[in-house]
């Protein structure tokens, strides 16, 4: 047992340190706003108020009863923070840019600064949070009573002790004093609570250090061999199959939702945020904090189960385990850790909720009746007074819950029930940041529906009959209607109550939100706000200001600013850049004043304050459309750019191919020219030399002369043929060859060609076969040209055939209105790379027995095309060698 | 160009991370490790959950570090709406 005086003294000393830190933090922040108090580390530590006493004591208790299930509560937030880029970053930026004061403010501002929405969310948050505060008070009281119990902590934990409400009362009072002193110094919520955050950060370090110290002591001090600890673990603790069911998924989801939607989490994560750097660091540092918090929970739970007498409350193992082994310092540290986690939760929750209550419940009511007549000083005083009163109200609402629930276990489960309650904000929050046409009516319907179902299926039944809902209803449903049983709505009874309530409440919430939003139209202001919120990462433009057009007198506007912001701020707003010289305020000035007011009293109240002095207000539909269009335009523009660049790439590739082709043609031309020169030169040379001989030797024998003249004639014929070929190509290309049109049987052209080639074939020893003939085909065109094609094909087949038994086969057939002739050989064939090239001009086969000009196939193809057909190389000839196919369509008639 | 491609990749990785984490930590995948096997005296499922958790923290840390560098580069070259918004925020803060 620890002496009560000692515990009280340590507590008071610790509280004094906290006050000192908060005080120093506030002073330091005033001198240097960007100092270490705005550092990502302090920011992250403040987020760790997620770990309340429900974590510090409750995690071990939960591990004893539910095994590994407790980890899900910390995995949900881990996933949300690891995914900061997806959602959290947008949420935090919206909060920062629009000077959001609370989650109620953000949602109401998004849906057209709707006051009703803000009020509903505030009430829901109040209902869900008050029992949670009660739970913290209970933990504080119980832990104090256990450590100071005369018969020892273990004995105390084993029996039911009547809670000492006096302790709880004084603790609540102390927490109120702290929250009021450091949480409500100024009404501008956006002027961050540096003092409170500094104290919270210190408490975060203390609770982590305490849990890790106890964990290390258990693993290395208590167990003989560190690893042997798990040998004592009961089977139930690690019953993995049962743990990872629907409840595990629901817990992960609810915890992930809660780490955004709980008012206190929203306060530290969004409202207190001052830069993107903070959230970037928190994205990994906060999950790391949770990891360290959970690391020793299982060892402590196992040690408690195996070393403490059965029946001693598992919820207090963290405290009783060190005390049972006379580790009083460690016990005291554990007590301080629990104290830290409970107090920090109560402080931040009460501050966050007091802002919500004063901005969304009290202010709208006061604006109707009280405020219009009040003086400048009294308005600010009224708001501060409301905040302070709200803090006292909230903390003592928690105390009242604690007093009423007494020793019942109803409070123990409140953590998860509260999570499920605040998760109702999630559809409106996420929908608001991504869905343009979501409406305020839809959000109200969803929230109200979800809240009612949550109350009916989870919250009210959790009191086990002593509050509002009698036990009979929980057991049998109202009026005995079993299909309305709270834990098995419409007969859905195979789920755990938490999963059941989550499914029904969020399902109905989302359904109402979506359906009602689709049935209703958003107001113009809601449209504007949706654009500002959803496109928060878009570059801010002037057109935003031009959407709302308002008229107000500067003097009246200044009066409002004076009363709410205080004279100093008003002077700063109005005296700069000669704004006070005009009588009518500009739209910019009105917007600026409204923005400053919103940072103090929330967007909805700021709007109703401003609309008192504004005489006429119009929201330009055209400007609104343009604003909404801007983001769309930018997206369309970038898509267009991308498409253009693809087109450019394609064109560039085409050009490159054309260029390549040109080079190739150029090389072929050069080759051809040198070939032609060579071809022309050889006959020319012999013509010249023989004519020289004839001229110089007049007395030559007649027979010799004749021989020489014969050679000259042959050579000039060769020259003529060459020039004819070149001419032919030219004519075919320019499309005006001498072309006689007659109707004829193409077989006659083949016969003519084979006849012409007979001599050539015989000298080369090639057999020409003619196996199949087509009958009755009639085509129109120039018969000699077609014969020229076949002569070319057959002579090529003869010339390029290197086979020892060379054979050329010419066959023809009729097929579906197409006349088809094939010229095949058993020569070496044509290499795949050459298949298309051989049809080009000036290209010759690789192994010419006799060199030609390389024009034959090119001319032939052009001729066949003139007939309307095509000339190609057959894909896979049955035999070795090449097979050319001529196809010409013909008229059956 | 190279930096822009890098930024693109970091953004894609940062978007995928939470979904990957959810798949790893939720059934049915997590049930693969629910077998009653001991690793150095510690049940496999405990090792798996805490190991995956640590890996997620590491991956987030690494991505946040790269994101900070990429952001820094982007600030120097061209800025986005978010940065402009932040700057106008800072401006407003200073005016107060």
């Amino acid at each position: 047992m620890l002496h009560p005086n000692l515990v009280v003294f340590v507590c008071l000393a610790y509280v004094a340190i906290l006050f000192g830190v908060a005080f120093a933090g506030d002073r330091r922040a005033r001198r240097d706003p960007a100092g270490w108090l705005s550092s990502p580390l302090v920011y992250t530590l403040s987020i760790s108020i997620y770990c309340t006493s429900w974590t510090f004591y409750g995690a071990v208790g939960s591990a004893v009863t539910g095994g590994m299930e407790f980890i899900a509560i910390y995995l949900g937030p881990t996933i949300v923070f690891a995914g900061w880029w997806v959602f959290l970053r947008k949420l935090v930026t919206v909060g920062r840019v629009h000077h959001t004061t609370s989650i109620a403010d953000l949602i109401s501002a998004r849906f057209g600064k709707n006051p009703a929405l803000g009020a509903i969310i505030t009430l829901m948050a109040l209902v869900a949070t008050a029992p949670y505060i009660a739970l913290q008070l209970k933990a504080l009281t119980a832990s104090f009573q256990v450590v100071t119990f005369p018969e020892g902590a273990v004995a105390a934990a084993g029996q039911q002790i009547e809670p000492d409400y006096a302790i709880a009362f004084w603790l609540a009072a102390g927490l109120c004093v702290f929250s009021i002193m450091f949480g409500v110094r100024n009404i501008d919520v956006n002027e961050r609570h540096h003092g409170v955050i500094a104290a919270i950060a210190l408490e975060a370090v203390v609770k982590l250090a305490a849990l890790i110290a106890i964990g290390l002591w258990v693993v290395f001090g208590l167990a003989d061999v560190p690893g042997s600890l798990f040998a004592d673990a009961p089977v139930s603790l690690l019953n993995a199959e049962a743990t990872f069911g629907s409840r595990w998924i629901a817990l992960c989801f609810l915890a992930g939702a809660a780490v955004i939607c709980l008012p206190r989490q929203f306060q530290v994560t969004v409202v207190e945020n001052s830069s993107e750097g903070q959230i970037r660091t928190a994205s990994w540092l906060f999950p790391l904090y949770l990891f360290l918090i959970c690391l020793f929970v299982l060892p402590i739970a196992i040690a408690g189960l195996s070393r403490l007498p059965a029946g001693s409350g598992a919820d207090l193992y963290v405290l009783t385990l060190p005390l049972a082994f006379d580790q009083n310092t460690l016990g005291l540290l554990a007590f301080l850790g629990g104290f830290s986690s409970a107090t920090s939760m109560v402080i931040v929750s009460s501050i966050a909720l007091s802002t919500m209550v004063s901005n969304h419940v009290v202010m709208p009511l006061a604006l109707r009746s009280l405020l219009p007549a009040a003086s400048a000083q009294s308005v600010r005083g009224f708001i501060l007074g409301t905040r302070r009163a709200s803090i006292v109200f909230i903390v003592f609402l928690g105390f009242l819950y604690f007093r009423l629930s007494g020793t019942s276990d109803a409070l123990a489960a409140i953590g998860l029930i509260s999570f499920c309650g605040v998760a109702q904000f999630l559809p409106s929050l996420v929908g608001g940041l991504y869905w343009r046409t979501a409406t305020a009516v839809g959000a109200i319907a969803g929230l109200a529906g979800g809240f009612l179902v949550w109350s009916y299926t989870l919250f009210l039944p959790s009191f086990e009959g002593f509050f509002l809902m009698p036990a009979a209803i929980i057991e049998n449903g109202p009026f005995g209607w079993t299909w309305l049983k709270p834990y098995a709505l419409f007969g859905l009874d195979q789920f755990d109550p938490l999963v059941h309530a989550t499914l029904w409440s969020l399902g109905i919430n989302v359904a109402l939100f979506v359906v009602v939003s689709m049935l209703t139209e958003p107001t113009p202001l809601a449209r504007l706000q949706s654009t500002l919120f959803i496109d928060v990462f878009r570059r801010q433009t002037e057109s935003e200001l031009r959407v709302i057009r308002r008229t107000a007198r500067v003097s009246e506007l200044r009066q409002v600013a004076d009363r709410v912001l205080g004279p100093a701020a008003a002077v700063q707003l109005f005296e700069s850049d000669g704004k006070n010289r005009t009588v009518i305020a500009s739209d910019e000035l009105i917007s600026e004043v409204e923005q400053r007011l919103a940072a103090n009293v929330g967007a909805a109240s700021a709007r109703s304050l401003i609309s008192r002095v504004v005489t006429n207000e119009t929201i330009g539909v055209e400007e609104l459309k343009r604003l909404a269009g801007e983001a769309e335009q930018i997206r369309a523009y970038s898509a267009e750019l991308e498409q253009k660049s693809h087109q450019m790439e394609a064109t560039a590739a085409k050009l490159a191919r054309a260029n390549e082709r040109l080079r190739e043609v150029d090389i072929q031309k050069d080759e051809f020219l040198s070939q032609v020169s060579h071809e022309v030169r050889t006959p020319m040379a012999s013509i010249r030399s023989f004519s020289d001989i004839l001229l110089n030797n007049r007395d030559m024998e007649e027979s010799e002369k004749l021989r020489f003249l014969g050679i000259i004639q042959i050579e000039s014929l060769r020259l003529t043929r060459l020039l004819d070929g070149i001419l032919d190509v030219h004519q075919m290309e320019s499309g005006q060859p001498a072309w006689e049109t007659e109707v004829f049987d193409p077989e006659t052209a083949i016969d003519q060609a084979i006849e012409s080639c007979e001599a050539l074939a015989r000298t080369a020893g090639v057999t020409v076969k003619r196996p199949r003939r087509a009958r009755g085909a009639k085509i129109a065109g120039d018969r000699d040209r077609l014969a020229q094609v076949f002569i070319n094909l057959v002579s090529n087949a003869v010339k390029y055939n290197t086979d020892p038994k060379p054979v050329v086969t010419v066959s023809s057939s009729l097929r579906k209105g197409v006349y088809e002739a094939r010229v095949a050989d058993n020569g070496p064939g044509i290499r795949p790379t050459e298949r298309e090239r051989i049809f080009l001009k000036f290209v010759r086969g690789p192994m010419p027995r006799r060199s030609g000009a390389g024009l034959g196939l090119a001319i032939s193809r052009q001729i066949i095309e003139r007939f309307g057909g095509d000339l190609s190389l057959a894909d896979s000839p049955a035999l070795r060698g090449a097979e050319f196919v001529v196809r010409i369509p013909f008229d059956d008639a | 160009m190279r930096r822009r491609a890098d930024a693109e990749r970091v953004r894609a990785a940062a978007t995928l991370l939470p979904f990957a984490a959810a798949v790893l930590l939720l059934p049915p995948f997590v049930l693969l490790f629910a077998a009653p096997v001991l690793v150095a005296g510690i049940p496999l499922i405990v090792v798996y959950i805490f190991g995956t958790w640590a890996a997620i923290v590491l991956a987030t840390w690494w991505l946040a570090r790269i994101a900070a560098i990429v952001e820094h580069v982007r600030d120097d070259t061209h800025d986005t709406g978010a940065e402009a918004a932040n700057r106008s925020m800072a401006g407003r803060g200073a005016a107060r």
Side-chain angles (χ1 to χ4, degrees):
Chain A
M1 166 211 155
L2 298 170
H3 197 277
N5 286 348
L6 173 73
V7 178
V8 169
F9 173 75
V10 169
C11 264
L12 287 178
Y14 182 63
V15 168
I17 292 173
L18 287 182
F19 270 82
V21 166
F23 190 67
D26 257 352
R27 280 193 51 169
R28 200 187 150 77
R30 228 169 294 146
R31 265 185 292 131
D32 175 20
W36 62 270
L37 279 170
S38 300
S39 72
L41 179 68
V42 172
Y43 174 76
T44 309
L45 286 174
S46 73
I47 295 177
S48 71
I49 50 158
Y50 181 74
C51 305
T52 63
S53 67
W54 186 53
T55 295
F56 192 85
Y57 296 124
V60 171
S62 165
V64 168
T65 51
M68 295 188 63
E69 191 183 277
F70 78 97
I71 298 179
I73 305 290
Y74 308 95
L75 289 181
T78 298
I79 293 171
V80 168
F81 272 76
W84 67 292
W85 189 268
V86 180
F87 178 70
L88 213 49
R89 176 166 158 268
K90 187 168 192 180
L91 178 69
V92 166
T93 311
V94 166
R96 204 170 57 225
V97 170
H98 295 280
H99 306 277
T100 301
T101 60
S102 66
I103 185 165
D105 186 32
L106 188 124
I107 295 178
S108 93
R110 157 62 183 85
F111 293 101
K113 306 184 183 179
N114 189 308
L117 203 45
I120 288 178
I121 293 172
T122 303
L123 290 178
M124 286 170 67
L126 211 55
V127 172
T129 310
Y132 209 161
I133 291 178
L135 178 67
Q136 308 302 317
L137 294 177
K138 181 179 180 175
L140 283 169
T141 315
S143 64
F144 182 82
Q145 285 182 295
V146 165
V147 289
T148 57
F149 200 66
E151 281 85 46
V154 184
Q159 54 184 280
Q160 194 72 269
I161 312 172
E162 181 64 23
D164 189 340
Y165 295 110
I167 299 174
F169 177 84
W170 288 114
L171 274 167
L175 287 167
C176 287
V177 170
F178 185 93
S179 305
I180 288 171
M181 269 186 76
F182 296 101
V184 200
R185 295 175 86 87
N186 194 309
I187 61 168
D188 186 347
V189 181
N190 254 257
E191 220 161 74
R192 295 172 174 96
H193 305 104
H194 291 286
V196 175
I197 295 299
I200 299 302
L202 177 69
E203 293 200 293
V205 173
V206 169
K207 63 191 175 196
L208 181 64
L211 212 52
I212 287 186
I214 295 161
L216 288 175
W217 169 71
V218 165
V219 172
F220 295 103
L222 208 53
D224 310 320
V225 187
S228 69
L229 206 63
F230 278 93
D232 304 334
V235 186
S236 68
L237 196 64
L238 302 163
N239 186 0
E241 298 286 345
T243 306
F244 302 106
S246 59
R247 193 172 151 90
W248 173 268
I249 301 176
L251 285 178
C252 274
F253 172 76
L254 287 179
V259 83
I260 300 168
C261 295
L262 277 171
R264 64 169 198 277
Q265 292 305 131
F266 192 89
Q267 175 80 26
V268 290
T269 313
V270 180
V271 180
E272 302 283 344
N273 175 277
S274 61
S275 73
E276 189 169 314
Q278 288 181 332
I279 188 78
R280 197 187 298 135
T281 303
S283 72
W284 60 271
L285 197 53
F286 179 57
L288 180 64
Y289 186 95
L290 296 179
F291 176 84
L292 293 175
I293 282 274
C294 290
L295 198 55
F296 291 110
V297 168
L298 279 176
I300 295 172
I302 295 168
L305 273 178
S306 55
R307 315 236 166 185
L308 291 180
S312 46
D315 278 335
L316 290 172
Y317 277 174
V318 174
L319 208 55
T320 48
L321 202 56
L323 291 176
F325 289 85
D326 287 326
Q327 298 280 342
N328 285 348
T329 324
L330 215 49
L332 201 57
L333 187 62
F335 174 74
L336 275 187
F339 184 82
S340 295
S341 44
T343 51
S344 56
M345 182 274 171
V346 176
I347 289 166
V348 181
S349 287
S350 63
I351 292 173
L353 277 171
S354 79
T355 310
M356 287 163 75
V357 168
S358 92
N359 285 357
H360 298 284
V361 178
V362 180
M363 273 300 277
L365 293 177
L367 280 174
R368 282 196 195 154
S369 50
L370 287 169
L371 287 190
S375 72
Q377 207 47 49
S378 68
V379 173
R380 285 175 63 73
F382 174 75
I383 297 172
L384 283 176
T386 317
R387 298 256 166 95
R388 288 172 181 150
S390 306
I391 286 184
V392 175
F393 168 71
I394 291 153
V395 173
F396 277 89
L397 193 62
F399 177 73
L400 196 68
Y401 257 109
F402 176 37
R403 186 75 187 80
L404 288 178
S405 64
T407 51
S408 118
D409 284 333
L411 276 180
I414 201 70
L416 287 173
I417 293 169
S418 180
F419 277 17
C420 186
V422 295
Q424 304 303 326
F425 304 152
L426 196 67
S428 306
L429 192 65
V430 176
L433 290 187
Y434 290 95
W435 186 25
R436 274 169 213 282
T437 51
T439 66
V441 187
I444 290 175
L447 283 166
F451 181 68
L452 287 178
V453 175
W454 167 76
S455 305
Y456 185 74
T457 56
L458 196 62
F459 183 61
L460 293 179
S462 77
F463 293 100
E464 292 162 357
F466 77 87
F467 182 68
L468 275 177
M469 186 186 272
I473 292 184
I474 304 173
E475 202 54 43
N476 305 315
F479 316 112
W481 297 340
T482 47
W483 53 276
L484 272 184
K485 275 200 292 191
Y487 284 142
L489 212 53
F490 301 112
L492 191 70
D493 56 0
Q494 66 267 49
F495 289 112
D496 162 272
L498 184 73
V499 182
H500 172 263
T502 307
L503 278 177
W504 278 116
S505 63
L506 277 165
I508 285 174
N509 186 335
V510 171
L512 282 174
F513 176 53
V514 171
V515 171
V516 176
S517 283
M518 284 165 131
L519 292 177
T520 49
E521 275 289 306
T523 61
L525 184 62
R527 261 181 219 280
L528 171 65
Q529 290 296 95
S530 81
T531 307
L532 296 185
F533 276 45
I534 292 171
D535 300 324
V536 70
F537 292 117
R538 176 177 48 89
R539 186 187 292 274
Q540 290 195 313
T541 54
E542 301 228 331
S543 44
E544 275 172 25
L545 290 172
R546 271 186 262 119
V547 175
I548 304 188
R549 295 209 169 278
R550 290 180 281 200
T551 339
R553 299 176 73 85
V554 170
S555 54
E556 287 177 335
L557 200 60
R558 177 155 187 178
Q559 209 183 352
V560 173
D562 252 347
R563 286 163 59 189
V564 180
L565 304 175
V571 167
Q572 207 188 32
L573 254 176
F574 285 86
E575 306 285 313
S576 58
D577 351 310
K579 282 172 190 157
N580 56 336
R581 275 178 230 139
T582 51
V583 179
I584 302 296
S586 64
D587 286 327
E588 284 89 347
L589 183 62
I590 300 176
S591 297
E592 199 179 339
V593 173
E594 185 178 351
Q595 218 166 42
R596 291 293 302 276
L597 289 175
N600 287 271
V601 295
S605 299
R607 178 167 160 75
S608 73
L609 274 172
I610 286 285
S611 53
R612 272 159 207 279
V613 297
V614 166
T615 45
N616 56 19
E617 176 185 291
T618 53
I619 293 184
V621 178
E622 280 310 307
E623 278 87 353
L624 191 57
K625 272 189 198 153
R626 194 172 336 128
L627 187 64
E630 246 170 43
E632 204 46 55
Q633 270 171 21
I634 291 168
R635 243 167 284 161
Y637 182 59
S638 73
E640 201 180 309
L641 270 182
E642 205 163 300
Q643 200 189 338
K644 281 257 168 67
S645 87
H646 279 313
Q647 279 175 1
M648 300 277 263
E649 268 170 31
T651 314
K654 227 185 267 174
L655 280 176
R657 272 199 304 277
N659 191 25
E660 187 68 19
R661 177 91 186 83
L662 274 178
R663 279 171 201 281
E664 227 169 76
V665 168
D666 192 46
I667 291 167
Q668 282 171 13
K669 184 201 72 191
D670 286 348
E671 276 174 4
F672 172 68
L673 276 181
S674 70
Q675 188 67 42
V676 165
S677 322
H678 179 73
E679 294 285 321
V680 172
R681 223 173 146 268
T682 326
M684 278 305 266
S686 60
I687 290 171
R688 219 189 71 199
S689 53
F690 284 111
S691 50
D692 273 355
I693 296 169
L694 284 174
L695 277 177
N696 296 339
N697 307 308
R698 301 282 172 128
D699 50 347
M700 203 183 239
E701 273 179 39
E702 198 62 21
S703 61
E704 199 74 344
K705 274 183 190 167
L706 274 177
R707 198 169 69 85
F708 285 174
L709 277 172
I711 292 173
I712 289 174
Q713 196 202 17
I714 289 170
E715 290 301 317
S716 29
L717 279 176
R718 229 177 100 190
L719 210 51
T720 316
R721 271 204 311 277
L722 182 66
L723 294 175
D724 276 351
I726 295 173
L727 207 60
D728 247 9
V729 174
H730 177 72
Q731 278 178 334
M732 291 301 290
E733 268 186 349
S734 54
Q736 42 187 332
W739 187 269
E740 289 168 17
T741 308
E742 55 172 323
V743 176
F744 67 97
D745 186 346
E747 291 298 298
T748 55
I750 293 182
D751 293 339
Q752 186 186 332
I754 292 175
E755 229 165 73
S756 307
C757 295
E758 221 178 317
L760 180 71
R762 197 172 299 147
T763 42
V766 177
T767 323
V768 178
K769 286 186 184 165
R770 189 78 177 83
R772 259 194 315 154
R773 282 174 161 276
R775 274 171 224 285
K778 288 272 183 288
I779 56 175
D782 192 327
R783 185 215 307 264
D784 288 342
R785 289 293 183 178
L786 190 59
Q788 186 189 341
V789 171
F790 286 117
I791 291 171
N792 208 319
L793 292 178
V794 174
S795 64
N796 273 353
V798 171
K799 279 190 283 182
Y800 291 94
N801 206 331
T802 51
D803 199 81
K805 275 180 161 181
V807 177
V808 172
T809 316
V810 182
S811 59
S812 57
S813 60
L814 288 177
R815 199 172 292 168
K816 292 175 192 164
V818 175
Y819 170 76
E820 189 180 280
R822 289 171 177 266
V823 179
D825 63 62
N826 60 346
I830 289 158
R831 271 179 284 162
T833 50
E834 298 279 317
R835 286 179 67 90
E836 266 312 298
R837 243 175 69 84
I838 53 167
F839 289 105
L840 297 176
K841 274 174 285 184
F842 323 130
V843 175
R844 275 176 293 200
M847 291 170 62
R849 198 177 287 173
R850 255 185 63 185
S851 57
L855 293 170
L857 281 175
I859 295 172
S860 302
R861 181 172 254 193
Q862 274 170 346
I863 291 171
I864 299 297
E865 273 166 12
R866 182 83 188 236
F867 272 99
D870 70 273
L871 166 63
S872 58
L873 194 57
D875 278 338
S876 47
L879 296 165
R880 201 168 78 90
E883 184 177 22
F884 286 90
V885 185
V886 173
R887 285 193 191 88
I888 300 172
F890 70 100
D891 291 328
D892 280 320
Chain B
M1 279 309 266
R2 173 88 192 278
R3 274 166 184 167
R4 260 183 71 185
D6 281 354
E8 207 62 40
R9 211 169 306 153
V10 170
R11 237 168 282 161
T15 310
L16 276 178
L17 184 63
F19 297 101
V23 168
L24 287 175
L25 293 172
L26 295 180
F29 195 81
V30 77
L31 288 172
L32 285 180
F33 299 88
V37 180
L38 292 183
V39 178
I42 303 169
L44 175 66
I45 185 69
V46 177
V47 175
Y48 172 73
I49 293 270
F50 280 93
T52 312
W53 198 345
I56 292 168
V57 170
L58 257 176
T60 317
W61 168 76
W62 188 69
L63 276 174
R65 219 181 52 141
I66 295 184
I69 297 169
V70 169
E71 206 96 324
H72 185 69
V73 170
R74 197 178 60 183
D75 267 1
D76 294 344
T77 50
H78 61 278
D79 58 7
T80 64
E83 297 313 308
N86 290 348
R87 246 198 303 288
S88 80
M89 266 294 300
R92 253 178 263 158
R96 223 176 264 165

